Amino acid sequence: MLLIKPIEDKKIQEAVCAACGAAFRPEYLAYFAAEGDDKTFEPTALLGVCQFSTAGQIADLKPAKDTNDEEALQIMARTAMNFMYRCECGSAEMLPGACSDELADKLCFLKDEYGRRVVDLALYYESPCHYNHAVKSARESAK
């Protein structure tokens, strides 16, 4: 079972970041992804970390060492995006080096005119299916 949970203790956040090869950013909020026990809902194996701000930045979206569960990373990033949206952020930015370009693309973070990877959260949550279509159309017309 996949667990996505907030990290409320900064010491635990620091340890999870170390286990994922991410710089600890105490000013950011964080979620962790883990395999969990189906009966107790307790984490059994760390899968990754996402550090983000309510100002709309994802600073780190990293897998735990020796793992690469891309689906868990995507779900965790979307959980952070939803939290930002509920905090009334209009857009989110994937900071450079937060994750691979391929993963940022799958999460619909497009490069803007300044080279930043951003997603319009209002449009995304209005209709994720249409947003994905608009992303694909924009990429095709840019070729």
Side-chain angles (χ1 to χ4, degrees):
M1 158 190 288
L2 176 65
L3 301 174
I4 306 290
K5 293 192 173 195
I7 303 173
E8 297 174 359
D9 182 310
K10 292 297 177 183
K11 289 180 183 179
I12 294 172
Q13 182 177 337
E14 185 174 20
V16 170
C17 288
C20 297
F24 171 55
R25 302 171 197 267
E27 69 278 14
Y28 283 82
L29 301 172
Y31 285 121
F32 72 88
E35 286 292 332
D37 184 279
D38 290 341
K39 293 179 181 144
T40 65
F41 301 104
E42 291 297 318
T44 57
L46 181 64
L47 297 174
V49 69
C50 179
Q51 293 187 102
F52 65 98
S53 74
T54 57
Q57 296 177 324
I58 295 180
D60 295 284
L61 182 59
K62 305 285 186 191
K65 292 174 186 165
D66 300 323
T67 69
N68 192 19
D69 189 330
E70 190 174 271
E71 183 178 7
L73 294 177
Q74 286 184 37
I75 293 168
M76 185 169 45
R78 288 199 172 106
T79 302
M81 290 164 60
N82 184 264
F83 186 85
M84 288 183 250
Y85 179 65
R86 290 182 297 137
C87 289
E88 299 184 358
C89 284
S91 64
E93 177 183 3
M94 185 73 70
L95 296 182
C99 68
S100 69
D101 285 342
E102 181 181 299
L103 182 55
D105 287 343
K106 289 178 182 177
L107 290 164
C108 300
F109 282 83
L110 293 177
K111 287 190 178 181
D112 67 7
E113 62 271 17
Y114 306 106
R116 300 175 307 158
R117 286 191 166 272
V118 295
V119 62
D120 183 318
L121 293 172
L123 287 176
Y124 181 83
Y125 283 108
E126 184 179 301
S127 180
C129 293
H130 288 109
Y131 192 87
N132 285 333
H133 177 70
V135 168
K136 289 177 185 176
S137 295
R139 288 195 183 132
E140 289 173 9
S141 65
K143 289 181 182 179

